[in-house]
Amino acid sequence: MSRLVSRSCLSLSLALSLLALAIAPALAQTADGAANANPATKPKQLVMISFDGAHDNALWQKSREMAARNGAHFTYFLSCTFLMNKEMKKAYQAPHQKPGRSNIGFAQSDDEIRERLGNIWHAHLEGHDISSHACGHFDGRQWSEADWSDEYATFHRTLKNAWKGVDLEEPKGWQDLVDHGIHGFRAPYLSATAGSDMIAAEKKAGFTYDASLVTKGPTMPVEEGGIIRFGLPLIPEGPRDRPIVGMDYNLFVRHSKGEEDKADSKEFEDRAYRAFKSAFDKQYAGDRIPLQLGFHFVEMNGGAYWRALDRLVSDVCHRQDVACVSYSEAIPVIKARGKLQGTPASGL
């Protein structure tokens, strides 16, 4: 008999789904308002928050609650090995790797996968963007188009069979999400130098946008090979305003050399928040180029960067001239503004 997702997860999911239904019209109005803004006034400031890996179930729920409180939609770049149990991992083989290998591991139990599937599905129902981060988190900068296509196919196949693999009855609409609703990709390690082979494979796999670039500051996306390409920006941070990629892991490495330091967690939180808020303020007061920030489902340095994120989202997302949206929601707004360019962005 099919097993059910845990009662607590479903209770939270129901509550958040109702909140999502309540805020959806406001988000739609936000997007329309940005697209149809009077040319004499500034467009809405877009803010795109994304998460790589999307595995820890507690952080799935924490991020969904954060979004619901603040009328925001996020983008989740999912790594598919977190939907593979010990049996499934034996069949997984990434390009040029031995079978059963993953740089980020696999799910630890079927129950963990069941709860994760519930979070993914209800996040989708709440209006968040479910996107791909491939599977085993390997650096694909030397991969061929065929290698990328193979990894994308594994991601698609894993999601197609995910509920059945853990003896759950899948919700109506899951197959449509997997086949037609996953629009974006971010390469592990931001391997934007993979270049044309990766882009060609993305196009064949049905992706419409890529978020693997790093840019010298907030920039508009560009179109390359039929794929809209976004980049996480370098933003000033710290006492000397040295540029750093707007992502929690990069801050973790700078602040504590990649070693967990809970004693200085509040200092790191404050530094991160100042960097995020300063980057936001510059665009908000200026040309209103979309601001992109990236995070992981790991609370580094005692949760410093998630707390800084919560402070930023709570501060800016309620403003009438700000829209905290997913990448998929941002694209039509940017296109309507006539800001989408046709040459590759500056990758670093």
Side-chain angles (χ1 to χ4, degrees):
M1 179 180 295
S2 296
R3 297 189 59 180
L4 299 177
V5 182
S6 69
R7 182 177 301 173
S8 61
C9 179
L10 284 177
S11 297
L12 172 68
S13 297
L14 177 59
L16 289 175
S17 295
L18 291 172
L19 278 170
L21 289 173
I23 67 174
L27 281 169
Q29 184 179 7
T30 291
D32 291 342
N36 299 312
N38 187 316
T41 64
K42 287 185 177 183
K44 288 183 183 288
Q45 175 67 51
L46 300 183
V47 178
M48 288 105 84
I49 304 298
S50 58
F51 300 92
D52 290 6
H55 56 293
D56 187 292
N57 282 308
L59 295 180
W60 262 111
Q61 297 194 28
K62 187 171 184 175
S63 64
R64 290 169 54 206
E65 290 169 346
M66 185 192 306
R69 286 197 311 272
N70 295 289
H73 284 160
F74 298 148
T75 301
Y76 296 94
F77 291 102
L78 175 67
S79 297
C80 86
T81 56
F82 295 124
L83 295 177
M84 298 179 185
N85 58 20
K86 292 181 180 180
E87 289 300 316
M88 297 172 193
K89 79 174 188 179
K90 297 176 183 177
Y92 171 59
Q93 184 171 10
H96 313 292
Q97 301 293 328
K98 295 179 179 179
R101 281 208 61 215
S102 166
N103 278 348
I104 51 174
F106 298 85
Q108 297 301 301
S109 70
D110 285 3
D111 282 341
E112 178 191 315
I113 295 173
R114 293 181 184 109
E115 185 174 0
R116 183 168 298 120
L117 286 170
N119 276 306
I120 294 168
W121 178 243
H122 286 91
H124 164 67
L125 294 180
E126 292 154 14
H128 301 291
D129 208 359
I130 306 302
S131 289
S132 173
H133 199 42
C135 291
H137 209 275
F138 293 103
D139 188 343
R141 71 187 64 206
Q142 301 298 324
W143 286 4
S144 67
E145 180 182 331
D147 291 334
W148 281 109
S149 292
D150 183 62
E151 185 80 344
Y152 296 152
T154 300
F155 179 91
H156 183 262
R157 184 170 57 251
T158 300
L159 266 66
K160 288 281 285 185
N161 299 317
W163 294 75
K164 185 185 299 183
V166 290
D167 300 322
L168 275 181
E169 182 178 349
E170 69 182 39
K172 184 179 180 180
W174 177 262
Q175 294 299 320
D176 185 63
L177 167 63
V178 176
D179 289 338
H180 307 294
I182 297 177
H183 304 296
F185 175 73
R186 175 174 285 157
Y189 306 105
L190 300 176
S191 295
T193 52
S196 58
D197 283 338
M198 184 181 75
I199 296 300
E202 284 178 324
K203 182 70 173 175
K204 288 182 179 178
F207 295 117
T208 58
Y209 75 84
D210 173 272
S212 307
L213 293 170
V214 174
T215 57
K216 293 181 180 179
T219 62
M220 288 293 181
V222 298
E223 191 163 4
E224 179 184 355
I227 298 292
I228 298 171
R229 303 199 71 183
F230 292 89
L232 288 172
L234 293 175
I235 61 175
E237 189 276 336
R240 291 180 290 169
D241 282 338
R242 289 186 298 146
I244 193 168
V245 179
M247 193 171 228
D248 57 357
Y249 179 75
N250 302 76
L251 291 164
F252 178 52
V253 171
R254 173 176 288 184
H255 291 168
S256 60
K257 297 182 172 57
E259 298 291 332
E260 187 68 14
D261 179 1
K262 293 183 179 180
D264 297 311
S265 183
K266 185 61 168 65
E267 176 189 346
F268 300 146
E269 172 194 341
D270 290 342
R271 279 184 58 168
Y273 174 73
R274 285 194 296 268
F276 298 157
K277 186 61 164 48
S278 177
F280 171 86
D281 287 343
K282 182 177 180 180
Q283 296 309 318
Y284 186 70
D287 295 333
R288 299 219 167 165
I289 296 171
L291 176 65
Q292 304 166 61
L293 297 172
F295 298 83
H296 292 79
F297 267 24
V298 179
E299 293 187 299
M300 307 166 199
N301 280 338
Y305 311 112
W306 273 66
R307 293 197 304 274
L309 169 63
D310 199 349
R311 287 168 63 181
L312 180 74
V313 170
S314 299
D315 181 4
V316 308
C317 292
H318 290 288
R319 302 185 190 186
Q320 290 188 347
D321 53 355
V322 175
C324 294
V325 295
S326 69
Y327 280 95
S328 290
E329 289 172 318
I331 289 170
V333 178
I334 293 169
K335 284 183 174 180
R337 293 180 190 173
K339 294 294 187 179
L340 186 62
Q341 303 175 38
T343 54
S346 298
L348 297 179

